[in-house]
Amino acid sequence: QVQLVESGGGLVQPGGSLRLSCAASESRFRIYVMGWYRQAPGKQRELVATITSGGSTNAADSVKGRFTISRDNARNTVYLQMNNLQPEDTAVYYCNVRHPLLENIHYWGQGTQVTVSS
């Protein structure tokens, strides 16, 4: 059974930082595209950032310059370093792994809550 174990969410004040982690249970995910999505209350799930096995990244304009995605292929883990967090970043953040060629093969984590509030 595929498992994506997320950690690192929580409550932080505006301007603060958090680091999310997502560990995948299977070594085959080393070739997969790994990424983070988020869903705020009443809104659709949206892309935050993705990273390929070779390290190429893509990020939403709203997080560029503040969030950094990285991965450790030896640990089958993807990270999201989030700096200068703002209230509009409040959402449930979901880890996603996707086959690089077959987009219908993908898996989701259970989600981790990030709340930015003073």
Side-chain angles (χ1 to χ4, degrees), residues 56-113:
S56 296
T57 61
N58 179 47
D61 288 342
S62 60
V63 306
K64 286 179 180 177
R66 300 188 299 124
F67 292 10
T68 301
I69 190 169
S70 61
R71 65 189 288 169
D72 183 338
N73 288 333
R75 291 181 168 83
N76 305 322
T77 300
V78 61
Y79 305 97
L80 185 69
Q81 177 66 43
M82 304 185 292
N83 297 329
N84 191 22
L85 282 159
Q86 300 301 316
E88 54 265 34
D89 295 316
T90 296
V92 178
Y93 284 69
Y94 295 92
C95 175
N96 174 271
V97 293
R98 172 174 58 82
H99 192 282
L101 299 177
L102 304 174
E103 292 192 358
N104 61 320
I105 299 178
H106 61 94
Y107 305 92
W108 291 97
Q110 80 283 359
T112 185
Q113 177 70 46

Side-chain angles (χ1 to χ4, degrees), residues 36-58:
W36 292 94
Y37 291 72
R38 67 186 181 186
Q39 187 166 18
K43 295 188 177 181
Q44 290 188 330
R45 191 172 298 189
E46 64 177 4
L47 169 73
V48 177
T50 61
I51 184 167
T52 68
S53 59
S56 296
T57 61
N58 179 47

Side-chain angles (χ1 to χ4, degrees), residues 18-41:
L18 285 173
R19 188 191 195 209
L20 305 183
S21 299
C22 172
S25 59
E26 300 181 15
S27 61
R28 63 184 168 108
F29 293 134
R30 292 175 183 176
I31 68 167
Y32 279 47
V33 178
M34 305 183 84
W36 292 94
Y37 291 72
R38 67 186 181 186
Q39 187 166 18

